[in-house]
Amino acid sequence: MKLITKCNDNIVRTEEEKLQMIEEAADYYGKFLTALGFDWKADPHSENTPKRVAKAWVRDLIAGSINPAPEVTAFPNSDGYTGLICQTRIPVVSMCAHHNLAFTGVCHVAYIAGKAKTDMVIGLSKLNRIVDFYSRRPNIQESLTKQIHDMVDELCVGNRGVAVVIESQHNCVKCRGIKNDSVMKTSQMSGYFHTNEIGTRQEFFQLIDQSRY
């Protein structure tokens, strides 16, 4: 099986490969628990833990690493809409590439469609799918933010700017080391959002603030 060499990359796996991954990962995770001093087979609460962990990784936690990208249909901006398109508070469930602990929060995405009727827009539900696709893999938040930005930028042909903000809490901070509830915020902006033309960046942040209530 070809290995993923960059933690936040993607190689599509067949169902047979996924089942093989679950079996092998369960075996190794059992050995991991044994190495940490647990007789995990002796306790009914943990005797199936290696299999559960392996299935959770393959079916959920790294789904974005091994499944194809979501099909996203773009539509012509036939009515010539020129305003800001924004979706806030899209759930983020991802995993820190450094410690393999979850980080969770929300993502806010916006773009400004091109003025031409041949420029493209996408449905709001597709923004959710894009965020989830890139979130479900080992990552660092900075890279995740840029991955989401770049895919929206690519799909929305002719756009005049894309903005992505992620706010999340990292369990590698909450559960170890200094142990606090700090929130990490990252942003990636291009076009009008980067230059702040006609107050576009302020409008985006105002929409984010309004979504908190």
Side-chain angles (χ1 to χ4, degrees):
M1 183 185 299
K2 184 178 179 181
L3 299 180
I4 296 172
T5 57
K6 193 172 186 297
C7 65
N8 63 354
D9 211 342
N10 170 279
I11 295 179
V12 177
R13 309 293 192 185
T14 66
E15 184 61 25
E16 290 74 19
E17 287 177 315
K18 292 175 187 177
L19 293 174
Q20 179 186 347
M21 291 164 65
I22 290 171
E23 291 302 318
E24 292 185 5
D27 180 50
Y28 281 111
Y29 196 78
K31 293 175 180 176
F32 174 75
L33 291 176
T34 300
L36 292 176
F38 291 96
D39 185 1
W40 52 274
K41 293 180 182 178
D43 188 331
H45 293 293
S46 59
E47 62 179 339
N48 289 318
T49 292
K51 189 69 169 284
R52 292 190 188 101
V53 171
K55 288 177 68 175
W57 272 64
V58 172
R59 299 304 184 192
D60 292 297
L61 299 177
I62 62 164
S65 297
I66 60 178
N67 290 323
E71 293 186 9
V72 179
T73 304
F75 303 93
N77 185 22
S78 54
D79 290 324
Y81 176 77
T82 60
L84 186 150
I85 300 166
C86 179
Q87 188 164 22
T88 61
R89 304 194 64 78
I90 301 171
V92 169
V93 178
S94 193
M95 181 166 45
C96 166
H98 299 150
H99 296 96
N100 285 348
L101 292 173
F103 65 89
T104 59
V106 292
C107 180
H108 315 286
V109 183
Y111 67 95
I112 302 173
K115 294 181 178 180
K117 293 184 178 182
T118 54
D119 291 329
M120 308 301 283
V121 296
I122 58 176
L124 290 182
S125 67
K126 306 308 182 186
L127 294 176
N128 285 268
R129 294 184 185 278
I130 291 168
V131 171
D132 193 63
F133 175 64
Y134 285 107
S135 296
R136 297 288 183 164
R137 60 183 72 182
N139 222 324
I140 62 171
Q141 187 172 319
E142 298 92 329
S143 296
L144 173 59
T145 308
K146 188 174 187 303
Q147 285 179 313
I148 295 168
H149 169 279
D150 290 351
M151 188 168 187
V152 174
D153 185 45
E154 178 183 341
L155 291 168
C156 298
V157 175
N159 75 80
R160 289 172 290 149
V162 175
V164 177
V165 169
I166 294 179
E167 305 173 281
S168 72
Q169 290 190 303
H170 291 242
N171 279 337
C172 58
V173 175
K174 295 182 69 173
C175 301
R176 54 173 297 281
I178 195 168
K179 302 182 184 70
N180 64 40
D181 288 331
S182 59
V183 176
M184 182 178 182
K185 300 185 180 185
T186 50
S187 67
Q188 183 76 33
M189 302 192 183
S190 60
Y192 281 13
F193 294 101
H194 181 68
T195 61
N196 198 31
E197 190 164 339
I198 58 173
T200 303
R201 190 183 307 174
Q202 280 89 341
E203 181 181 0
F204 176 48
F205 284 124
Q206 286 172 0
L207 291 172
I208 292 175
D209 287 340
Q210 291 168 6
S211 72
R212 302 187 196 284
Y213 305 113

